[in-house]
């Protein structure tokens, strides 16, 4: 049980996928102008990441490794992720058209989001499927947390007077750097 708690806290705070490992920066900067959009993107990434990790873990262990074709891992994983993103896109179009419109071009970008593929590949090293799923869910929660925090700060910045040279991406990068520094404070946490 302590292993799962350790994975959970470490993936969210210590090794945050965006702020510590710098994966998924494009959607992090692009979709984080509104908290509602960032929350939706975080939820979509969480869903796709969890399902993709389950599917890719099983494919790796029972197909690719069993037949000695592990070299096809990246291609197979990308195809699985692309299929899952198409499924999420169809569901969002039916269930939440405003969120679908708000995400715009970034929803198809989940297909090529290095966060999803990176976690699918990293989860293969987990001891079992449950550990891989906990890792994927925790990483997705960490991604969503970073997105929502960043979007909240950017929304607040839009109501303040920022020097002309710092408006837009420059101030966003400064804020992202400060968030990354803040998350580095969690590195000293010892569990167990």
């Amino acid at each position: 049980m302590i292993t799962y708690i350790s994975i959970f806290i470490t993936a969210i705070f210590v090794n945050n996928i965006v702020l510590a490992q710098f994966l998924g920066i494009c959607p992090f900067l692009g979709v984080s102008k509104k908290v509602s959009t960032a929350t939706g993107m975080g939820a979509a990434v969480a869903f796709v990441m969890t399902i993709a990790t389950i599917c890719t873990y099983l494919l790796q262990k029972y197909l690719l490794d069993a037949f000695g074709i592990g070299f096809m891992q990246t291609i197979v994983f990308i195809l699985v992720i692309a299929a899952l993103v198409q499924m999420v896109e169809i569901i969002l179009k039916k269930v939440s058209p405003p969120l679908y419109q708000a995400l715009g071009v970034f929803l198809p970008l989940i297909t090529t989001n290095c966060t999803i593929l990176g976690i699918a590949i990293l989860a293969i090293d987990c001891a079992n499927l449950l550990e891989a799923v906990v890792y994927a869910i925790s990483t997705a929660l960490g991604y969503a947390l970073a997105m929502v925090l960043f979007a909240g700060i950017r929304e607040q910045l839009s109501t303040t007077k920022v020097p002309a040279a710092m408006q837009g991406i420059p101030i966003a990068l400064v804020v992202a750097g400060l968030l990354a520094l803040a998350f580095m404070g969690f590195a000293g946490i010892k569990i167990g």
Side-chain angles (χ1 to χ4, degrees), residues 22-159:
F22 308 113
L23 293 175
I25 297 294
C26 179
F28 179 70
L29 292 173
V31 186
S32 61
K33 291 179 183 162
K34 290 183 173 180
V35 172
S36 60
T37 308
T39 304
M41 182 66 161
V45 166
F47 178 75
V48 172
M49 190 180 293
T50 304
I51 301 301
T53 299
I54 292 169
C55 294
T56 56
Y57 186 90
L58 293 172
L59 281 170
Q60 180 72 37
K61 297 297 180 190
Y62 297 108
L63 181 70
L64 300 178
D65 289 347
F67 291 105
I69 53 173
F71 61 90
M72 303 237 351
Q73 178 188 58
T74 305
I75 294 168
V76 170
F77 285 14
I78 288 172
L79 290 173
V80 168
I81 291 166
L84 289 170
V85 169
Q86 288 300 312
M87 184 177 72
V88 168
E89 193 170 356
I90 291 168
I91 291 170
L92 276 181
K93 199 176 214 180
K94 297 274 186 201
V95 174
S96 180
L99 179 58
Y100 176 77
Q101 291 296 328
L103 290 175
V105 71
F106 291 101
L107 190 58
L109 284 178
I110 293 176
T111 305
T112 57
N113 188 340
C114 56
T115 304
I116 308 289
L117 181 60
I119 295 308
I121 291 171
L122 290 172
I124 298 303
D125 294 334
C126 292
N128 55 48
L129 180 60
L130 181 59
E131 194 173 293
V133 170
V134 169
Y135 178 63
I137 291 170
S138 304
T139 302
L141 289 174
Y143 181 84
L145 175 66
M147 289 275 292
V148 170
L149 285 174
F150 190 58
I153 294 170
R154 286 184 77 180
E155 274 188 6
Q156 187 66 32
L157 280 173
S158 69
T159 64

